Amino acid sequence: MWKRLVYDYHSYFDHQSVFMIKKSRKEKEKKARRDLIIDSALQVMKEKGFENATMDEIAEAAEMGKGTLYLYFESKTALYLAISERGARLLNQQIARILVQEATGLELIEKIGFVYLDFIRDNPLFFTAFNYFEHVVNEGKMAGTSLIDDCNTHAREAMAYIVRALQIGMQDGSIKSTIDPRMLGIIIWGASRGVMHMAFLKQQNSHLQLLDDVEYDLNTLVTGFINLLRTGMKK
Amino acid sequence: MWKRLVYDYHSYFDHQSVFMIKKSRKEKEKKARRDLIIDSALQVMKEKGFENATMDEIAEAAEMGKGTLYLYFESKTALYLAISERGARLLNQQIARILVQEATGLELIEKIGFVYLDFIRDNPLFFTAFNYFEHVVNEGKMAGTSLIDDCNTHAREAMAYIVRALQIGMQDGSIKSTIDPRMLGIIIWGASRGVMHMAFLKQQNSHLQLLDDVEYDLNTLVTGFINLLRTGMKK
Amino acid sequence: MWKRLVYDYHSYFDHQSVFMIKKSRKEKEKKARRDLIIDSALQVMKEKGFENATMDEIAEAAEMGKGTLYLYFESKTALYLAISERGARLLNQQIARILVQEATGLELIEKIGFVYLDFIRDNPLFFTAFNYFEHVVNEGKMAGTSLIDDCNTHAREAMAYIVRALQIGMQDGSIKSTIDPRMLGIIIWGASRGVMHMAFLKQQNSHLQLLDDVEYDLNTLVTGFINLLRTGMKK
Amino acid sequence: MWKRLVYDYHSYFDHQSVFMIKKSRKEKEKKARRDLIIDSALQVMKEKGFENATMDEIAEAAEMGKGTLYLYFESKTALYLAISERGARLLNQQIARILVQEATGLELIEKIGFVYLDFIRDNPLFFTAFNYFEHVVNEGKMAGTSLIDDCNTHAREAMAYIVRALQIGMQDGSIKSTIDPRMLGIIIWGASRGVMHMAFLKQQNSHLQLLDDVEYDLNTLVTGFINLLRTGMKK
DNA sequence: GATGAATGAGCATTCATTCAT
DNA sequence: AATGAATGAATGCTCATTCAT
């Protein structure tokens, strides 16, 4: 009986484990190929630009058949959203690491800002991908897809981190604000996106003359922005 | 004899004035048709989306032959830039009106913010057009074209207005800041763009869930942003 | 009566002469404008290539309205044929000058060959125009037009000159041939066209590798051809 | 064991051979489809004329999607060059067959001439294609492409055959000439092209009146030309 | 006669997606 | 599962020609 149990247990375990391993192996491989495709897409985009990458080029870069891409992504849009999803996930991971640090709420906000800057600086394509996601959402395309949901979830998570930091700041007294922290979160999120966009353009050596009228580097720009957030402009 | 001279003079004058009127009429008509095309393009875009408008549709909407469009715009990109140019011009006109008002620098900045908001709210397509302009500049397309130059000039002009308001504010004591007003200008410009983008998405009833977590209207959003700019978050 | 006659005569004369002068003035002007258009077309073609010249460019080069071109030429094809016609006329003039010279038939043929070469060398566009004419005729376009007729007439005239020279040669004993001089004319005409075409390509610095395998200049080429012909036809 | 080895060996061999057959089958099919496209293009051209064939029509004639054409030819120009290439290849094959025959150099030249005539008579479109190739080369388009290279190679090969025949003729005494055989080759090549052009026009029932002044058939024309050449070159 | 603004048929080319193997 | 050949809808742009002024 005990043996039986053990046997059963083992049997059950083995069976399951084999099954799970098999399944997870397959899933891992599947995930690995999915990731490979995303990597390859980013590769191509780095050379040709986000929108100019073609499925052919991506497939070639991934050393796969073009049709294979469609086994992993139902459409080009889906692939692009997956890129956005990955970017958001990575960014959130970094922001999450901030949140556990010992610091005032205001300092947390500042740190999040710099993490954001570094992220965009290192992965400008993800910034474009974020915009793409918003564009897709705006057009109402792919609504209800899990990818859209995932991206939305990531966006809300990022926002949650910010709101969290704001709440901490309001509690520890480092931040004063009369408005709803969620509202404030959206404002800061939006404002940051805009400032990051400026930084992004600057980094691309864009010929937007506007940016050439002042000498500055990205750090100064973001530092200035964060200082502004901190103290405002009023004397 | 004297009368004769006068008569001749008038005759000459009339002749010339007729000529001038003729010329200006033609130019006016030309400008009118150009404007009509832009109007039609905006019309189509309102229905199909900025990027989805085709030259055929625009031509049809303008009740013109497709080729005619190319008499007024050398390419689709040029037409799109012209839309951006018009938007920037209109926006600047409104901002310019603020600048001459009697107010502190800080109040000017606030007013500019609200004008910007109203503008985007009323003409969301122009917002997309501005982004398009930046995209084109970033890709290096049409560099050296007068359209690109005009858009650049408008952008710098808008920035100049902001910097001007900041300088006024620094002088009248309503604004304190240790950083270069031009740097601050870029920050505010960027931040505003980002916040406006949020407002823009909100207005489009985008299914970006992020925006549905809080109840708010556009005014509250912008007011919050402007308050933040004014006083900062620090207690 | 006599007076009357004189009067009548004068009257008639004057009337006619005035009429004729007027008419001929108009016609001269008309012809002058027509020639101007052809000149301008050649001008444009020299820069852009025969086929690539557009009616717009030609009109601009002629400092005329585009519509005006159609007052002088019913179509672009007609204009191109007119160019061919002019070329053929000019070439024939030069060939005609040869025919009156004191020389053996064989020498005449040789001289015609060199005149042809010089003509093509100086006016390569006419060569292209001749081909264009043949192309149009082949397509059956504009059949029955006076321009087509004129070109045909010129071509036959050129051929007639050659046949004439051949006949002279056969008579003076410088040329021996058992075949019909008209047949021989066509052969020589065709062969010359082909050799001139080679010369033409060579002159254009065409990247036709075939032509780079031997060092030679145009004169050598044509001289060689004529020697070949001479030996072939010489008694 | 030994049997096994043999079996294995065969198995291996078979496997490979199957693989090779598979590969070559694919390549054959690819080539077949390429050829089919060229065939269809020629078909369309026969009806509409060389330059008037559109990619749509060609695709329809080939019972393919339009996009498929671009899997086999990078552009319309490339397709046209491929036609020229095929023509040159076929012509060269026929000329090559002449060269191995037992005959004097002079006779070889004559035979080449008649082969050329027959070829153009049977495939007038190839003649147009040859001209197209020269035109493309002259415009400097597609320089460095393998298609251009192939066409150039074919042209040089054809020339090489002629030069070879001339050299044979000079050696066996059937041809006398003081000039470089390569130079003479170009002359003959060019002259032939021109005479063939006349034959070509004649065959098309072109309304070039020039050609109607004498009664003759193509054979007579070419025979006359070759006689002329013969006498010219004969010792 | 002269003009040039307007026209629109016509065409090459791209590329995401499908599906037979 | 993987492939990649085939597809064809979609679209920007050209330019000869017309015609109202």
Side-chain angles (χ1 to χ4, degrees):
Chain A
M1 176 78 178
W2 180 78
K3 213 175 176 179
R4 188 89 161 90
L5 253 175
V6 169
Y7 177 76
D8 277 348
Y9 173 78
H10 272 162
S11 163
Y12 176 72
F13 183 79
D14 286 345
H15 179 65
Q16 216 200 28
S17 79
V18 163
F19 183 73
M20 283 174 67
I21 287 170
K22 249 190 187 165
K23 195 186 165 188
S24 80
R25 216 174 251 168
K26 254 195 184 166
E27 279 187 353
K28 265 184 194 163
E29 272 175 16
K30 177 131 186 157
K31 199 193 162 313
R33 279 179 90 73
R34 235 184 87 102
D35 283 341
L36 172 60
I37 293 172
I38 294 179
D39 290 338
S40 308
L42 287 168
Q43 185 92 25
V44 174
M45 287 166 171
K46 206 178 287 181
E47 289 170 19
K48 312 252 176 175
F50 188 82
E51 301 269 17
N52 305 321
T54 68
M55 292 301 264
D56 282 78
E57 289 165 330
I58 295 169
E60 195 188 20
E63 292 177 329
M64 286 178 191
K66 194 185 346 184
T68 310
L69 299 188
Y70 285 86
L71 294 177
Y72 295 89
F73 302 97
E74 60 171 326
S75 67
K76 199 193 186 193
T77 301
L79 168 56
Y80 276 38
L81 286 182
I83 292 173
S84 180
E85 192 275 334
R86 182 201 272 188
R89 188 153 30 84
L90 291 177
L91 178 56
N92 278 352
Q93 278 172 14
Q94 304 205 30
I95 297 180
R97 263 186 233 128
I98 304 289
L99 260 280
V100 295
Q101 293 177 11
E102 205 59 51
T104 66
L106 186 57
E107 285 164 351
L108 291 176
I109 288 289
E110 292 171 13
K111 287 185 176 184
I112 291 173
F114 281 110
V115 159
Y116 193 10
L117 174 67
D118 287 343
F119 184 79
I120 297 305
R121 173 159 37 194
D122 295 344
N123 314 284
L125 284 172
F126 283 138
F127 190 73
T128 315
F130 295 162
N131 290 331
Y132 183 82
F133 160 62
E134 287 180 1
H135 180 247
V136 169
V137 163
N138 223 29
E139 300 261 291
K141 274 191 281 182
M142 303 203 68
T145 324
S146 66
L147 266 168
I148 287 284
D149 288 349
D150 289 348
C151 287
N152 261 321
T153 305
H154 287 317
R156 294 169 93 176
E157 187 185 324
M159 177 61 70
Y161 289 139
I162 293 174
V163 173
R164 185 76 183 282
L166 289 172
Q167 288 170 329
I168 292 173
M170 287 170 177
Q171 225 164 5
D172 66 23
S174 61
I175 292 176
K176 68 138 207 290
S177 179
T178 56
I179 51 173
D180 182 343
R182 286 172 305 173
M183 173 95 260
L184 187 56
I186 288 181
I187 292 170
I188 291 180
W189 173 265
S192 305
R193 261 184 100 268
V195 174
M196 291 311 159
H197 190 64
M198 287 290 147
F200 172 76
L201 289 177
K202 183 78 181 178
Q203 188 185 356
Q204 307 278 318
N205 283 320
S206 163
H207 291 289
L208 192 66
Q209 294 180 349
L210 178 63
L211 300 175
D212 301 331
D213 292 339
V214 206
E215 280 295 321
Y216 64 90
D217 58 24
L218 303 190
N219 261 315
T220 316
L221 183 71
V222 176
T223 308
F225 172 59
I226 286 176
N227 280 336
L228 180 63
L229 281 190
R230 198 194 304 149
T231 63
M233 300 184 300
K234 205 179 179 180
K235 209 162 206 165
Chain B
M1 177 72 181
W2 179 79
K3 212 175 175 179
R4 188 89 162 88
L5 257 173
V6 170
Y7 177 78
D8 276 349
Y9 172 76
H10 272 161
S11 164
Y12 177 73
F13 181 82
D14 285 343
H15 178 65
Q16 220 198 22
S17 79
V18 161
F19 183 73
M20 284 172 69
I21 287 170
K22 248 190 189 166
K23 194 186 167 189
S24 81
R25 213 172 254 172
K26 240 188 192 171
E27 280 184 354
K28 265 185 195 163
E29 271 174 19
K30 176 126 188 159
K31 201 195 160 309
R33 272 180 98 66
R34 229 185 92 104
D35 284 341
L36 172 59
I37 294 173
I38 294 180
D39 291 337
S40 308
L42 287 168
Q43 186 88 26
V44 175
M45 287 167 170
K46 208 177 284 180
E47 290 169 20
K48 312 252 177 178
F50 188 82
E51 300 268 18
N52 305 320
T54 69
M55 292 301 264
D56 283 79
E57 288 166 332
I58 295 169
E60 196 186 17
E63 293 176 328
M64 286 177 188
K66 197 183 348 185
T68 310
L69 299 190
Y70 287 86
L71 290 179
Y72 293 88
F73 302 97
E74 60 171 328
S75 66
K76 200 193 184 193
T77 300
L79 169 55
Y80 275 40
L81 286 182
I83 292 173
S84 180
E85 192 275 333
R86 182 201 274 189
R89 188 152 32 82
L90 292 176
L91 178 55
N92 277 352
Q93 279 171 13
Q94 305 205 28
I95 297 180
R97 264 186 234 128
I98 304 291
L99 260 281
V100 295
Q101 294 177 10
E102 206 55 52
T104 65
L106 185 57
E107 285 164 351
L108 290 176
I109 288 288
E110 291 171 12
K111 288 184 177 188
I112 290 174
F114 281 108
V115 158
Y116 192 10
L117 174 67
D118 287 342
F119 185 79
I120 298 303
R121 174 160 36 196
D122 296 343
N123 315 283
L125 283 171
F126 284 140
F127 190 73
T128 315
F130 294 163
N131 290 331
Y132 182 82
F133 160 61
E134 285 181 1
H135 180 247
V136 169
V137 163
N138 225 28
E139 298 263 292
K141 273 190 283 183
M142 303 202 68
T145 324
S146 67
L147 268 169
I148 286 283
D149 287 349
D150 289 347
C151 288
N152 261 321
T153 304
H154 287 317
R156 295 169 94 174
E157 188 185 323
M159 176 61 71
Y161 288 140
I162 293 174
V163 173
R164 187 76 184 282
L166 290 172
Q167 288 169 329
I168 292 173
M170 288 172 177
Q171 224 163 6
D172 64 25
S174 62
I175 293 175
K176 68 137 208 289
S177 180
T178 55
I179 52 174
D180 183 342
R182 287 172 305 173
M183 173 97 257
L184 186 57
I186 287 181
I187 291 171
I188 290 179
W189 172 265
S192 305
R193 261 183 101 268
V195 173
M196 291 311 159
H197 190 64
M198 288 289 147
F200 171 76
L201 289 176
K202 182 79 182 177
Q203 187 187 359
Q204 307 277 316
N205 284 321
S206 162
H207 292 289
L208 192 64
Q209 296 181 347
L210 177 62
L211 300 174
D212 302 330
D213 292 340
V214 208
E215 280 297 320
Y216 63 90
D217 59 22
L218 303 190
N219 261 317
T220 318
L221 184 71
V222 176
T223 308
F225 172 59
I226 287 176
N227 280 336
L228 180 64
L229 280 190
R230 196 193 306 150
T231 63
M233 299 184 298
K234 207 177 177 180
K235 206 160 207 166
Chain C
M1 177 73 180
W2 178 79
K3 214 175 176 181
R4 187 91 160 87
L5 253 175
V6 170
Y7 178 77
D8 276 349
Y9 173 78
H10 272 162
S11 164
Y12 177 71
F13 183 81
D14 285 346
H15 179 66
Q16 216 199 27
S17 80
V18 163
F19 182 73
M20 284 174 68
I21 286 170
K22 249 192 189 165
K23 195 184 164 191
S24 82
R25 217 175 250 170
K26 254 195 185 167
E27 279 187 351
K28 263 184 195 165
E29 272 175 19
K30 178 132 186 155
K31 199 193 162 313
R33 279 180 89 74
R34 233 183 88 103
D35 282 342
L36 173 58
I37 293 173
I38 294 179
D39 290 338
S40 308
L42 287 168
Q43 185 93 25
V44 174
M45 287 167 170
K46 208 178 284 180
E47 289 170 20
K48 311 252 175 176
F50 188 82
E51 300 269 17
N52 304 321
T54 68
M55 291 302 263
D56 283 78
E57 290 165 329
I58 294 168
E60 196 189 19
E63 293 176 328
M64 286 178 190
K66 194 185 347 182
T68 310
L69 299 189
Y70 285 86
L71 295 176
Y72 295 89
F73 301 97
E74 59 170 330
S75 67
K76 199 191 185 194
T77 301
L79 168 55
Y80 275 40
L81 286 182
I83 292 173
S84 180
E85 191 275 334
R86 182 200 276 189
R89 188 152 32 83
L90 291 177
L91 178 55
N92 278 350
Q93 279 170 14
Q94 304 206 28
I95 296 180
R97 263 187 235 126
I98 303 291
L99 261 281
V100 296
Q101 294 177 11
E102 204 57 51
T104 65
L106 185 57
E107 284 164 352
L108 290 177
I109 288 289
E110 290 171 14
K111 287 185 177 185
I112 290 174
F114 281 110
V115 158
Y116 193 9
L117 174 68
D118 287 344
F119 184 78
I120 297 305
R121 174 159 37 195
D122 295 345
N123 314 282
L125 284 172
F126 283 138
F127 190 72
T128 315
F130 293 163
N131 289 331
Y132 183 82
F133 159 63
E134 287 180 1
H135 181 247
V136 169
V137 163
N138 223 29
E139 300 261 292
K141 275 192 279 183
M142 304 202 67
T145 324
S146 67
L147 266 167
I148 287 283
D149 288 349
D150 289 348
C151 286
N152 261 321
T153 305
H154 287 316
R156 293 168 95 175
E157 187 186 325
M159 177 61 69
Y161 288 140
I162 293 174
V163 173
R164 186 77 182 281
L166 289 172
Q167 287 170 329
I168 293 174
M170 289 172 177
Q171 223 162 10
D172 67 24
S174 61
I175 293 175
K176 69 136 204 292
S177 178
T178 56
I179 52 175
D180 182 344
R182 287 172 305 171
M183 173 96 258
L184 188 56
I186 288 181
I187 291 171
I188 291 180
W189 172 263
S192 304
R193 262 184 98 269
V195 173
M196 290 312 160
H197 189 65
M198 288 288 147
F200 172 76
L201 289 176
K202 183 79 183 178
Q203 187 184 359
Q204 307 277 317
N205 282 322
S206 163
H207 291 288
L208 192 66
Q209 295 181 348
L210 177 64
L211 300 175
D212 301 330
D213 293 339
V214 208
E215 281 296 321
Y216 63 91
D217 57 23
L218 303 189
N219 262 315
T220 317
L221 183 71
V222 176
T223 308
F225 173 60
I226 286 175
N227 278 337
L228 182 64
L229 280 190
R230 191 197 307 151
T231 330
M233 298 184 302
K234 212 174 178 180
K235 207 157 205 167
Chain D
M1 178 72 180
W2 178 81
K3 213 174 175 180
R4 189 92 161 87
L5 259 173
V6 170
Y7 177 78
D8 277 348
Y9 173 72
H10 273 161
S11 165
Y12 177 72
F13 182 80
D14 285 345
H15 178 66
Q16 219 197 27
S17 77
V18 163
F19 182 73
M20 285 173 66
I21 287 169
K22 249 189 188 166
K23 195 185 164 189
S24 80
R25 212 173 254 171
K26 240 189 192 168
E27 281 185 353
K28 264 183 194 164
E29 272 174 18
K30 177 125 188 157
K31 200 194 162 310
R33 272 180 97 67
R34 229 185 93 104
D35 283 341
L36 172 59
I37 293 173
I38 294 180
D39 290 338
S40 307
L42 287 169
Q43 186 88 26
V44 175
M45 287 166 171
K46 208 177 284 180
E47 290 170 18
K48 312 253 175 175
F50 188 82
E51 301 269 17
N52 304 321
T54 69
M55 292 303 263
D56 282 77
E57 289 165 331
I58 295 169
E60 197 185 20
E63 292 176 329
M64 286 177 190
K66 197 185 345 186
T68 310
L69 300 189
Y70 286 87
L71 290 179
Y72 295 88
F73 302 97
E74 60 171 327
S75 66
K76 199 191 184 191
T77 301
L79 168 55
Y80 275 40
L81 285 182
I83 292 173
S84 180
E85 191 275 336
R86 182 201 274 190
R89 189 154 30 84
L90 291 177
L91 178 55
N92 277 352
Q93 278 170 15
Q94 305 206 28
I95 297 179
R97 262 185 235 130
I98 305 290
L99 261 279
V100 295
Q101 294 177 10
E102 205 58 50
T104 66
L106 185 58
E107 284 163 352
L108 289 177
I109 288 288
E110 290 172 13
K111 287 183 176 187
I112 290 174
F114 281 109
V115 158
Y116 192 10
L117 174 67
D118 288 343
F119 184 79
I120 297 304
R121 170 156 42 191
D122 296 344
N123 315 281
L125 284 171
F126 284 139
F127 191 72
T128 315
F130 294 163
N131 290 331
Y132 183 82
F133 159 63
E134 285 181 2
H135 180 247
V136 168
V137 163
N138 225 27
E139 298 263 290
K141 274 192 280 184
M142 303 202 68
T145 324
S146 67
L147 268 168
I148 287 282
D149 287 350
D150 290 348
C151 287
N152 260 320
T153 304
H154 286 318
R156 294 169 94 175
E157 189 186 323
M159 177 61 70
Y161 288 139
I162 293 174
V163 173
R164 185 76 184 281
L166 290 173
Q167 288 170 327
I168 292 174
M170 288 172 177
Q171 223 162 9
D172 66 26
S174 61
I175 293 175
K176 69 137 205 290
S177 179
T178 56
I179 52 174
D180 183 343
R182 286 172 306 172
M183 175 94 257
L184 187 56
I186 287 180
I187 291 171
I188 290 179
W189 172 264
S192 305
R193 260 183 101 268
V195 173
M196 290 312 159
H197 190 65
M198 287 290 147
F200 171 76
L201 290 176
K202 182 79 182 177
Q203 186 186 0
Q204 307 278 316
N205 283 321
S206 162
H207 292 290
L208 191 66
Q209 296 179 348
L210 176 63
L211 300 174
D212 302 330
D213 292 340
V214 207
E215 279 298 321
Y216 64 90
D217 57 22
L218 303 190
N219 262 315
T220 316
L221 183 71
V222 175
T223 308
F225 172 59
I226 286 175
N227 279 337
L228 182 64
L229 280 189
R230 192 198 307 150
T231 330
M233 299 185 301
K234 211 174 178 180
K235 208 159 205 167

